[in-house]
Amino acid sequence: MARRILAGRLDVRDKVVADFGAGSGVVAIAAKMAGAKRVFACDIDATCRELTQLNAAFNQVDVEVVSSLDEVQCALDLVVASDVLYEAANLRFLDMMLGVCADVLVADSRLKSMPDKRFRYIDRVYTTSFPDYQEALENNEVRFYRSQWPPSGSVAEAKET
Ligand SMILES: C[S@@+](CC[C@H](N)C(=O)[O-])C[C@H]1O[C@@H](n2cnc3c(N)ncnc32)[C@H](O)[C@@H]1O
């Protein structure tokens, strides 16, 4: 997801973006670097929120850290979520994200088909963890699912995918 953003294949310019399940903040930081107006990094885990703040400061970008999407007090243009649907119970996160924003983009290496019909499969990439933990090969395929496709108003994205 971070690579997609930095390569301009996901247009975040001037958008208000939330990264749900932000972890260390890599996607949130990429979004801010790529020109997002505001970025909220949402994670339930306090250590992740602290790491995101440290990583954002190290990369000299401003990322706002929250523990729940409900804490975001302004309108969101886009919610992104990477590697948060690793178990079936987490599919409820899709409702949480769509509850705050119509445009949600999910990247996931475990979810090989999307049971939630509000999302469309749009793309896949092959990658590894870094360092490479030699996970099962099938986990190297990351699939992207988006609730709004084609994206409204982004000619660049529509051409790329
Ligand atoms: C596998 S990590 C992915 C981190 C990051 N998106 C990435 O790709 O590097 C999943 C993250 O989701 C967070 N998470 C789990 N449940 C959550 C919830 N209900 N709300 C917000 N974050 C949650 C975890 O704390 C963890 O940081």
Side-chain angles (χ1 to χ4, degrees):
M1 184 75 86
R3 285 187 186 161
R4 193 178 190 91
I5 290 170
L6 291 175
R9 296 191 64 211
L10 174 62
D11 190 2
V12 297
R13 286 168 302 167
D14 301 321
K15 291 184 180 173
V16 181
V17 179
D19 178 17
F20 178 81
S24 61
V26 58
V27 171
I29 291 165
K32 194 62 191 175
M33 285 176 164
K37 185 160 61 180
R38 289 179 77 176
V39 178
F40 295 89
C42 172
D43 206 289
I44 199 169
D45 184 272
T47 303
C48 289
R49 296 196 298 275
E50 192 179 340
L51 287 173
T52 294
Q53 280 172 325
L54 290 169
N55 286 331
F58 183 76
N59 285 281
Q60 299 179 307
V61 294
D62 182 25
V63 168
E64 298 166 66
V65 173
V66 293
S67 60
S68 160
L69 289 175
D70 294 336
E71 290 172 35
V72 178
Q73 295 294 313
C74 63
L76 290 166
D77 299 305
L78 176 68
V79 175
V80 291
S82 310
D83 201 14
V84 298
L85 301 179
Y86 42 80
E87 57 189 29
N90 289 6
L91 287 168
R92 67 193 164 91
F93 293 160
L94 299 175
D95 282 327
M96 291 163 62
M97 293 187 269
L98 285 172
V100 296
C101 185
D103 195 1
V104 176
L105 178 65
V106 173
D108 212 276
S109 60
R110 306 295 201 280
L111 199 67
K112 299 307 181 192
S113 67
M114 170 56 88
D116 190 322
K117 297 305 168 207
R118 294 171 295 181
F119 287 78
R120 284 179 61 185
Y121 164 78
I122 62 165
D123 199 10
R124 65 183 166 180
V125 295
Y126 291 90
T127 185
T128 62
S129 54
F130 180 80
D132 187 351
Y133 294 115
Q134 305 286 315
E135 285 195 78
L137 272 183
E138 64 190 37
N139 292 344
N140 290 347
E141 183 202 50
V142 177
R143 290 189 169 222
F144 290 86
Y145 305 94
R146 194 159 181 175
S147 61
Q148 283 193 345
W149 193 256
S152 52
S154 177
V155 178
E157 275 183 71
K159 264 199 259 176
E160 279 284 349
T161 309

